[in-house]
Amino acid sequence: MMPYTSEKTPLLPIVERTLDAYMNKVDQRHREGVEYALLVSTLLLTVFQVVVLYSGDSLVPIALDGQYYALVAQLARGLRMSIPASLPTAAIFFIVAPYLAQKERVVMTRYAILLHPVMSLTRPNPRLLSRTKRIFTSQIRTYAAPGDGVIPPAKKKYVPTSGTYPLGFKAGSAHVGVKASNNRFDDLALIASDIPCAGAAVFTTNKFQAAPVTVSRDMLKKRKGEGIRAVVVNSGCANAVTGRGGIEDAISMGKETDKCFIQDKNGQDDLKGSRSIVMSTGVIGQRLPIDKITSKIPTAYHNLGDTHEHWLGTARAICTTDTFPKLVSKTFTLPSTQQKYHIAGMTKGAGMIHPNMATLLGIICTDAPVAPYLLRQALVSAIGKSFNSISIDGDTSTNDTVAILANGAAGGQPINSADSPDFAAFQKVLTDFSIDLAKLVVRDGEGATKFVTIKVTNAASYKDAHRVASTIARSPLVKTALYGKDANWGRILCATGYAEGVDSVVPEETSVSFVPTDGSEELKLLVKGEPEQVDENRAAKILEAEDLEIKVRLSEKEGEEAVFWTCDFSHEYVTINGDYRT
């Protein structure tokens, strides 16, 4: 019989004596039985865990009844979470093993015991490593946008290399580090007017409205849209569903921004309260690191400038899962004068995009002289045919806001009548401009590979046409078919038929077609309720393109039409949103 007090892991003498006394009483056969039982059970456990680790939610490749499958799947998920936590137990067995086995088999026993936690750590699956990290660190997953700041080659064409910006406005940004993972990129943006200006905004209709939405709406209402100086935006945290503390944080952002203008020569306090619109974007349900943000607002103010680089950098600072900064600028004239005016704007958004409000965040500035009440009227009208006519995933955010500032710095006759030709012209300019901005959001949809225009015609009313287009745009079946390049027009027709509150659909007169972007003849899929013999090869070629138009005619009678913009659903969309807070 081998001695138990040498050539093994040292233990306390009392433990050694106890084990020696016990093992001396056990005959050789019993001792070998214990050893083999330990080896066999450990190896079986290892095989079992290997199967669990590599088999997803199923345990073994055999058919099981529903109730047993659910039980085994739950066990598998539990084991994948608990295996790393079993390391201390494995270590104890590793130490005690020599006392339960003969010397010549100690090494084999130890390796067998160690095998199952080693397998759990070597599985080539990053999700398991993520789970292991959470177990040991007990950290809540935090949102992190794409961190390298590299614009995909296919998206670079949408980023302007120059621009023309409104007089009297400046843009700037600063790095705060709202997200712990962001140690490099600016995440605080400031757009400011040299002089007090008119302001208006349209906000989300989501009942859980974020603190900055509440604070900014109240400020604009109190001021009646007059005397506004700036828009301040943080990315990385939405400050939504954060209670009274969140409201106080949003107020603090506005107050700290106001101080910058009170201190400059044009910033005399008019004693009417805050003059800054506040916006936030990012993860819901987390408080802002408000001290860090307010300490950096003076830095953003110091960084203000009127160059293209200033505007583009500011547009980048408001991004979250966006893959490129969205910035548009143009010039225009009004009928009453040859004076040249400027309008510029930026927006952010790639997911949680659907209408019934302004959708996402947007800031528009113009140096045209527009009265505050007319500015809001023009914005509401423009939003209806732009930001309220896009959809990426059918979700309406808690923070969505589009704001416009007009400082009149370019001079000219003030626009103060809704019946004037100048107002009608400005309304059209703002609508077209808003459409250009909104389209950029769709082009940057999370995981999107296609930009889809949906045109619904011959409806009894614009509302009917818009509802049908919206229903098609948010249909997961339509969007996945587009991603798969499948000319499944039945899904388009199905969505048309279940659009709520629409009475102008005439099934026997409805037509559906694909309109190619190369100017060639449209591909008819359904004509007056009758299916066409579809050229699948041509359909596949049309669906290969990045841009596509779907045209739906609801009847043969001339009527109203509406246009909607959407994108497809890809595997990447699921990945992005499955790991949104990872």
Side-chain angles (χ1 to χ4, degrees), residues 177-372:
V178 175
K179 303 187 302 288
S181 60
N182 178 15
N183 55 16
R184 176 182 171 190
F185 299 104
D186 286 0
D187 49 4
L188 179 67
L190 182 64
I191 300 93
S193 173
D194 291 341
I195 57 176
C197 59
V202 180
F203 300 96
T204 181
T205 57
N206 192 305
K207 291 181 174 60
F208 291 96
Q209 297 186 352
V213 169
T214 300
V215 169
S216 296
R217 178 190 287 114
D218 291 347
M219 183 274 293
L220 287 170
K221 183 177 180 180
K222 181 178 180 180
R223 281 189 163 274
K224 298 181 180 179
E226 298 176 342
I228 310 302
R229 290 299 301 272
V231 178
V232 60
V233 189
N234 77 270
S235 63
C237 179
N239 191 14
V241 197
T242 47
R244 181 59 198 172
I247 295 291
E248 293 173 354
D249 290 345
I251 292 173
S252 295
M253 284 181 65
K255 285 184 176 180
E256 194 63 36
T257 304
D258 295 337
K259 290 179 183 178
C260 298
F261 303 104
I262 293 174
Q263 293 169 1
D264 73 21
K265 63 181 181 180
N266 294 317
Q268 297 298 319
D269 191 353
D270 61 5
L271 304 179
K272 293 182 180 179
S274 179
R275 54 179 67 189
S276 300
I277 296 173
V278 179
M279 300 182 187
S280 297
T281 179
V283 174
I284 296 171
Q286 297 179 5
R287 288 285 298 276
L288 291 173
I290 190 61
D291 291 339
K292 292 173 64 177
I293 291 175
T294 54
S295 69
K296 289 292 185 175
I297 288 176
T299 303
Y301 178 77
H302 177 75
N303 292 339
L304 288 174
D306 57 8
T307 69
H308 173 70
E309 287 70 27
H310 284 94
W311 282 85
L312 187 61
T314 304
R316 188 188 297 274
I318 68 175
C319 292
T320 51
T321 57
D322 308 65
T323 63
F324 66 91
K326 302 166 184 64
L327 177 66
V328 178
S329 64
K330 63 170 59 176
T331 60
F332 64 96
T333 58
L334 298 174
S336 66
T337 177
Q338 294 302 311
Q339 174 68 44
K340 184 168 67 174
Y341 295 102
H342 308 79
I343 186 169
M346 62 187 69
T347 184
K348 63 79 50 186
M352 201 176 283
I353 305 297
H354 192 63
N356 293 329
M357 26 59 66
T359 313
L360 65 148
L361 299 187
I363 304 105
I364 301 172
C365 301
T366 181
D367 51 19
V370 187

Side-chain angles (χ1 to χ4, degrees), residues 87-120:
L87 286 173
T89 304
I92 292 174
F93 275 111
F94 182 78
I95 295 173
V96 175
Y99 298 94
L100 303 179
Q102 295 182 22
K103 176 182 176 181
E104 59 270 20
R105 295 194 177 102
V106 167
V107 174
M108 182 187 300
T109 306
R110 281 180 165 175
Y111 278 121
I113 292 171
L114 283 177
L115 188 57
H116 84 271
V118 170
M119 289 302 301
S120 73

Side-chain angles (χ1 to χ4, degrees), residues 567-580:
C567 58
D568 56 349
F569 267 165
S570 68
H571 299 294
E572 187 182 354
Y573 177 85
V574 178
T575 300
I576 291 171
N577 286 282
D579 294 333
Y580 186 74

